[in-house]
Amino acid sequence: MPNQILHVGSLTAAPGEKQYGINEFAVGGQPYTLPMWLVNGSAEGPTLVVTGGVHAAEYASIAAALDLGRAIDPATLRGRAIIVPVMNIPAFSARSIYVFPPDGKNLNRVFPGDANGTASQQLAAWVFDRVISQADYYVDLHGGDLVEALVPFTIFFRAGNARVDELSLEMAKVFGIRYLVCSETPGSTFSAASRKGIPSILAESGGQGIWTPDDVGLLTNGLDRLMRHLKMIPGAAPDEAPFTLLEQFLWLRSDHDGFWYPAVPVGAAVRKGQNLGEVKDVEGHVLQTAFSPADGRVLFIVSSLAMNRTDPLLAVGA
Ligand SMILES: [Zn+2]
């Protein structure tokens, strides 16, 4: 068994061992408890990091990370895996959307974090420095939030390093979800990791608080395909899956507090300039019309009637 001992914070796993445990550390001056699996394989191979619950009401992502952590077997694993199923613990307990409740920031906009910053930045720094930085390959699992419907898609980022960029795109293709989106999303997990030289993807499935077996299975199947591709687990290399590459991820946001009336369903093919929905006031006056910025496909759409200024309305992949 050639592998070294795997360490994250206070937890360790010797070669051939799987260790579930909770790391405790301070975030924003308060104790923070972060559950995770450390899985140290019986043979040499790459290190895969999987995170879920950065947005803690994206339940398919969390369910998929839990399934992987519970099922993964160190006896047949080549390489190592670190699985953090729910990063944003306070939001999970509160069934809260979008943000990290202690400081109200979107945790997926503060990576790689700052150990001297606010609470979300401190959590991001802890996870980035101790977990994500150990990865040869990194997958962050997401989905539509409680108020978002989406069609499944996988995001990757071209950080300007040809080898890393090629591997990130390869991971996205191997994962097996149809729509692949190239996007920077500053401060996100996968773009920060890509910049550090770690091939990374962010995969999205499920939404609106729903996590059907199909929604979860799309993500667990993607992880299984990726691990077979990397020869981390037994099994044939995955078949090539059909994909559609979208080079732009165009978000529309609300300029107003009001009532949101989408005009198209999620997944709709839309034309540049098409009316995609309206934000109205109480009396029904149109405050804002969302026009499609390009020919493309609606990848996610906010499904709550409630709309707040600066919140996303929808995004078009093009
Ligand atoms: Zn998310």
Side-chain angles (χ1 to χ4, degrees):
M1 291 192 191
N3 281 6
Q4 303 291 308
I5 290 176
L6 179 56
H7 291 270
V8 178
S10 63
L11 305 176
T12 59
E17 239 180 39
K18 169 171 161 178
Q19 198 65 248
Y20 169 76
I22 294 176
N23 261 303
E24 294 189 32
F25 49 97
V27 165
Q30 299 295 319
Y32 199 85
T33 54
L34 189 63
M36 61 185 69
W37 281 276
L38 277 56
V39 193
N40 201 342
S42 302
E44 279 291 357
T47 298
L48 173 68
V49 168
V50 177
T51 54
V54 166
H55 296 136
E58 297 173 357
Y59 296 124
S61 70
I62 295 168
L66 291 170
D67 282 354
L68 177 68
R70 291 167 184 167
I72 192 168
D73 180 0
T76 54
L77 181 69
R78 193 184 139 266
R80 314 193 288 183
I82 307 169
I83 301 148
V84 179
V86 190
M87 205 188 296
N88 191 340
I89 294 284
F92 186 76
S93 309
R95 304 188 180 98
S96 163
I97 65 169
Y98 292 160
V99 300
F100 185 67
D103 66 7
K105 291 183 180 168
N106 185 338
L107 185 56
N108 207 27
R109 299 291 181 275
V110 300
F111 277 83
D114 178 353
N116 299 310
T118 65
S120 61
Q121 293 170 309
Q122 290 179 15
L123 173 61
W126 196 98
V127 173
F128 197 82
D129 295 345
R130 288 167 180 78
V131 181
I132 296 171
S133 293
Q134 298 203 44
D136 296 305
Y137 300 92
Y138 173 44
V139 180
D140 189 24
L141 301 172
H142 284 249
D145 218 319
L146 274 181
V147 297
E148 289 172 345
L150 60 70
V151 290
F153 58 92
T154 301
I155 318 179
F156 69 102
F157 172 57
R158 294 194 184 95
N161 173 327
R163 183 193 74 87
V164 175
D165 296 353
E166 197 173 308
L167 286 171
S168 294
L169 175 57
E170 182 180 290
M171 288 172 76
K173 288 179 183 173
V174 166
F175 206 78
I177 289 177
R178 159 104 184 258
Y179 292 108
L180 313 185
V181 186
C182 183
S183 172
E184 151 101 62
T185 318
S188 65
T189 51
F190 69 103
S191 64
S194 299
R195 284 192 192 286
K196 197 185 159 71
I198 302 165
S200 303
I201 56 172
L202 184 155
E204 305 238 10
S205 176
Q208 298 175 305
I210 308 295
W211 48 289
T212 67
D214 283 353
D215 297 330
V216 179
L218 210 55
L219 299 176
T220 52
N221 182 53
L223 293 166
D224 180 77
R225 286 173 57 91
L226 179 63
M227 292 176 79
R228 280 189 282 131
H229 173 77
L230 298 173
K231 300 186 168 56
M232 294 181 72
I233 56 172
D239 298 336
E240 276 188 33
F243 66 90
T244 302
L245 183 55
L246 302 165
E247 291 286 347
Q248 291 178 285
F249 194 27
L250 304 164
W251 287 45
L252 301 185
R253 291 180 178 276
S254 180
D255 299 325
H256 304 271
D257 296 330
F259 302 81
W260 166 231
Y261 293 81
V264 291
V266 70
V270 295
R271 308 292 298 182
K272 183 177 169 128
Q274 183 176 337
N275 179 345
L276 304 182
E278 293 170 332
V279 181
K280 298 181 180 180
D281 69 9
V282 170
E283 294 177 288
H285 303 121
V286 176
L287 303 172
Q288 179 182 351
T289 303
F291 294 108
S292 182
D295 293 354
R297 192 160 296 274
V298 176
L299 293 179
F300 76 79
I301 194 158
V302 168
S303 54
S304 67
L305 180 60
M307 182 50 65
N308 302 310
R309 196 174 64 81
T310 75
D311 277 355
L313 299 167
L314 54 81
V316 174

